[in-house]
Every structure is written in structure tokens, then in C-alpha cells.
Amino acid sequence: MSDATHVASGKVREIYALDDERLLLVASDRISTFDVVLPTDIPDKGRVLTGVSAFWFARTREIVPNHLLELRDDGRSMECRRLEMLPIECVVRGYITGSGWKDYQATGEVCGHRLPAGLVESEQLPEPIFTPATKAHTGHDENITREQAAELVGEERFAEAERISLALYRHGSEWAAARGIVLADTKFELGLDPAGRLVLGDEALTPDSSRFWPADSYAAGRGQPSFDKQFVRDYCETRGWDKTPPGPELPDDVVEGTRARYLEAFERLTDIAFDDYLADPEVVVR
Ligand code: Q0N
């Protein structure tokens, strides 16, 4: 870490430059809800996100190459290839929720996809859809049409990004469904390597980049509880917090319950004991 220079901060992750070709991505234990980072950490959350990402990177190499070079022994840091990131977020939705549900209610469409009439909140879509968004550095990502996305990255690149994103979502959602988790939607970031090939970057198919719903309580026609963050959301609601910073500190039982949900997501998805990951993070990529 001593010879790495900090280059960027996300809400819950930090990026350091190792050299001209490599970055270090470090996942903290910070948690955000209603778009605000809370003052209380969830112990091991960063390790869960890094371990789940590395697990998927190892298992989706046949779909698309990825930026992971090495998983560090701390379990929360990944050495990655530096890419030229595409200026779009590659979102895939298998269920109608969030901004997709808002757009559908207003227009009957999401990112130019005309959807069947009469869908209810959280309903599964006939087919997963690719719904790109622009990267907003302040505020919210904005959904854009395929034409707008193709203008930003080029027709050919757009078609390839869509094909890759849909294939990743199908793989992840089938795997998760078999383990009692509905992967409602997810966001990928793709970049170009020096040869101009598309490479999967960022984190992938984690609870922070996706909506995970518990399959056993899923029912269309209402909002769904979050697999990982529901205790935090419920606590924030009972506090009557107005969702502007600063957020409330979390009591120990909410921290422990939330940590248990992250660990459960890790173990259900990977079929690996979290303690085995802590002892040797490389277990997720073997
Ligand atoms: C990069 N972001 C936005 C970490 C992720 N492999 C890469 N090469 C060049 N740039 C990036 C990556 C990656 N991944 C991606 N910023 C830089 C997403 N960030 C948000 C903060 O946490």
C-alpha cells in the first residue's frame, strides 16, 4: 500500500494506482442506504463484496475477460488491470423495479424497450432487458435509450456490451435462483484493454451492484425486502430520518443482523464458508 497513490473514491470503495497498468481496488466496510453513507461500518462487508466479485470473475471468464489480476491476502483488495472505461453503465433488469418501474409507470417503456401493458411492481419481465445509463458523477445515473448509448460508445461496441451483459446476467441469475436468491437487476462496468477488447471491470454481481431479493418471500405487486440492507432500511425508517446526510448511527443488533446477511449471501452464492475465505481468499477463484 505504501507505494500506491490514491486516485479516486467511490461511496464505499477506494482506488489506488499501483503503476501505469495496474490499479488497486479496496472495498471498505462502509454501507450506504437511500444514497447516504452511514457513520457505522458493517464489519467484513468489504471482504464479502470483494470475495463475491472475485468468485464471479473466475466463473465468467468464458463469457468475457475481466480486470482481476490478484486478490490480496486482506480479502478486501484486488489488483486490477487498468482499462479505458466505457462512458455507460451496463444495467440488466430481469424484474421491473426501481427507476425501471418509475419509467414504465410514466411511459410504458424502459430505455426504449416497450414492455407489456399491466405489469405490476417487482414482476419478472418476459426477457431480461439491457437498460444502459449514463455515469453521473453527482446525483443519479440517468437511463438512456440504446440509440443514445450507441452514440456514446459506437454501434458495434454497444451490441457487444449488450450481448456480454445479458449473458452475465443470465448466468448469475440462474446460479443465484438455484440458491434462493432473486437477482432482480445488476450493473456492470466494461472497459477496453490496450488491444481494444472489452473487459469486465469494477465489481460484478454483488449485493452493492445488484438488487438481491430473498426468493422465499418474493411476491409481485409490491416492493421487495433487500436481502442485505433491509434491517438498515427498517431501522432508518423507524428513526424517522429525512434521508439527508448525516445518516443515523446503527445500533449493535442492526450491525450484527446486517453483517450476518452479507455473510449469508457470500456463503449461499459461493458454496464456500466465509471463514475459509478469510483464511485464504484465493479459495473463491479456484
Ligand atoms: C475505474 N471506476 C468507476 C471503484 C470502482 N480497471 C479499471 N481501469 C480504469 N478505471 C477503472 C477501473 C475499474 N474498475 C472504474 N473508476 C475507475 C467505478 N469505481 C467507483 C469507485 O470504486
Side-chain angles (χ1 to χ4, degrees), residues 36-205:
V36 174
V37 177
L38 301 181
T40 313
D41 283 357
I42 306 298
D44 292 322
K45 172 176 177 281
R47 292 191 174 91
V48 165
L49 297 186
T50 296
V52 167
S53 271
F55 171 83
W56 291 118
F57 284 145
R59 275 153 192 82
T60 57
R61 269 192 228 113
E62 302 92 283
I63 298 172
V64 61
N66 60 70
H67 69 166
L68 177 61
L69 294 170
E70 190 168 305
L71 193 50
R72 289 209 170 167
D73 285 340
D74 64 8
R76 67 169 72 251
S77 313
M78 294 190 310
E79 294 180 16
C80 298
R81 282 195 277 165
R82 205 192 271 260
L83 306 169
E84 192 188 321
M85 303 308 291
L86 299 188
I88 58 171
E89 309 272 11
C90 294
V91 178
V92 181
R93 301 168 190 271
Y95 293 74
I96 189 80
T97 184
S99 67
W101 173 237
K102 282 208 176 72
D103 292 352
Y104 171 74
Q105 285 177 291
T107 67
E109 297 186 2
V110 183
C111 298
H113 296 272
R114 172 136 306 263
L115 298 176
L119 292 176
V120 296
E121 185 176 9
S122 310
E123 191 167 343
Q124 187 170 22
L125 297 171
E127 297 286 340
I129 54 174
F130 183 61
T131 58
T134 55
K135 293 186 187 186
H137 292 283
T138 55
H140 271 121
D141 295 346
E142 190 188 340
N143 289 338
I144 54 176
T145 62
R146 57 195 306 115
E147 289 76 21
Q148 291 172 307
E151 205 155 299
L152 287 168
V153 303
E155 283 286 355
E156 203 180 334
R157 208 71 88 194
F158 174 84
E160 207 191 346
E162 178 178 49
R163 178 184 60 75
I164 289 166
S165 299
L166 288 170
L168 289 169
Y169 175 82
R170 285 185 192 282
H171 176 81
S173 59
E174 281 170 26
W175 182 278
R179 289 155 183 81
I181 296 173
V182 175
L183 184 65
D185 54 27
T186 195
K187 181 198 85 176
F188 302 110
E189 291 200 29
L190 295 169
L192 298 171
D193 71 8
R197 283 180 290 252
L198 279 177
V199 175
L200 178 59
D202 202 47
E203 60 178 351
L205 298 165

